[in-house]
């Protein structure tokens, strides 16, 4: 299995691996900033944070996936169905973002851990939806490697979201859990994937268009999210020290 995992990683260009890891790290950092000081927030402020947590988590994981996919198999010109690619954003927000957002309303570590499992499996759902958008090839999967990836994602998210505390060490552990849950699941799942190219397939969007779309969606969401996050943090900080 280790050889299969290494091969799966090597099929993505290193600069895109680094870019995907960077997007995932930014996503994790934004989520943690939104979650800070929520213990003193009003119900309305928690709802505000929850909405942005859902959007940032879903779009962040989606962006990580497709940034990595742009650099996947540089020897092959992969094309994607635009409608399914857009649907995969909604899957990310619903299947990943909602359980992450729900953790702000629960104090019990076991409940947050359970929501983390759902979010981790949601990463898998978003990944498989995104892969189903491929138009000029048919992906098949090694079930054992794929299940390992799903378990890795669910376990990492469960651990990360169950942690609680303001300390820098706890925050670093939570960020690490989120990053491992997203990037680990993606690359393990890609290691489980074999592509069979389909002759005469209907053309879809290619790497150039996909790159522009991913950049626009990610830049728009993260710009607004970062601005709203710092404003939200300033309000909560004033409550804590006021």
């Amino acid at each position: 299995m280790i050889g299969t995992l290494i091969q799966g990683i090597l099929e993505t260009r290193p600069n895109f691996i680094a870019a995907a890891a960077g997007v995932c790290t930014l996503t994790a950092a934004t989520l943690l900033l939104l979650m800070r000081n929520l213990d003193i927030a009003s119900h309305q402020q928690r709802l505000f944070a929850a909405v942005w947590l859902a959007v940032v988590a879903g779009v962040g994981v989606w962006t990580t996936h497709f940034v990595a996919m742009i650099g996947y198999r540089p020897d092959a010109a992969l094309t994607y169905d635009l409608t399914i690619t857009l649907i995969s954003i909604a899957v990310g927000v619903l299947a990943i973002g909602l359980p992450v957002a729900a953790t702000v309303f629960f104090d019990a570590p076991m409940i947050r851990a359970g929501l983390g499992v759902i979010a981790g499996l949601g990463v898998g759902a978003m990944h498989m939806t995104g892969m189903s958008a491929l138009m000029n090839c048919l992906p098949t999967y090694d079930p054992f490697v794929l299940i390992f990836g799903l378990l890795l994602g669910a376990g990492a998210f469960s651990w990360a979201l169950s942690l609680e505390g303001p300390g820098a060490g706890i925050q670093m552990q939570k960020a690490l859990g989120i990053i491992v849950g997203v990037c680990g699941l993606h690359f393990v799942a890609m290691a489980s994937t074999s592509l069979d190219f389909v002759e005469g397939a209907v053309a879809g969007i290619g790497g150039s268009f996909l790159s522009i779309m991913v950049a626009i969606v990610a830049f728009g969401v993260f710009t607004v999210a970062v601005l709203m996050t710092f404003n939200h943090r300033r309000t909560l900080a004033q409550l804590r020290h006021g």
Side-chain angles (χ1 to χ4, degrees), residues 37-215:
N37 293 326
L38 285 179
D39 57 316
I40 59 169
S42 66
H43 183 71
Q44 183 177 3
Q45 288 168 328
R46 289 195 180 204
L47 284 175
F48 173 86
V51 170
W52 279 105
L53 282 168
V55 173
V56 170
V59 175
V61 174
W62 178 86
T63 305
T64 300
H65 169 82
F66 277 102
V67 166
M69 289 305 297
I70 293 169
Y72 178 65
R73 289 292 300 271
D75 60 321
L78 303 178
T79 60
Y80 300 84
D81 179 272
L82 178 59
T83 301
I84 298 177
T85 300
L86 293 174
I87 289 174
S88 65
I89 301 178
V91 172
V93 173
L94 295 174
I96 307 165
L98 287 186
V100 170
T103 61
V104 304
F105 299 104
F106 296 98
D107 295 325
M110 289 300 294
I111 295 177
R112 295 201 307 269
L115 290 168
V117 170
I118 297 172
L121 294 177
V123 176
M126 197 290 307
H127 177 92
M128 299 304 290
T129 304
M131 292 299 292
S132 70
L134 284 166
M135 295 190 68
N136 62 337
C137 60
L138 178 66
T140 56
Y141 304 94
D142 180 324
F144 296 104
V145 178
L146 181 59
I147 289 172
F148 174 73
L150 293 173
L151 292 175
L152 176 63
F157 262 87
S158 178
W159 173 64
L161 296 184
S162 69
L163 297 172
E164 189 60 45
I170 293 294
Q171 299 304 308
M172 290 292 291
Q173 291 178 59
K174 292 181 74 169
L176 179 62
I178 293 170
I179 294 168
V180 170
V182 176
C183 293
L185 190 154
H186 173 85
F187 287 108
V188 172
M190 292 312 299
S192 76
T193 305
S194 298
L195 298 181
D196 297 316
F197 285 87
V198 179
E199 294 293 338
V202 177
I205 61 174
S208 298
F209 184 91
L210 183 64
S211 300
I212 295 171
M213 185 178 75
V214 169

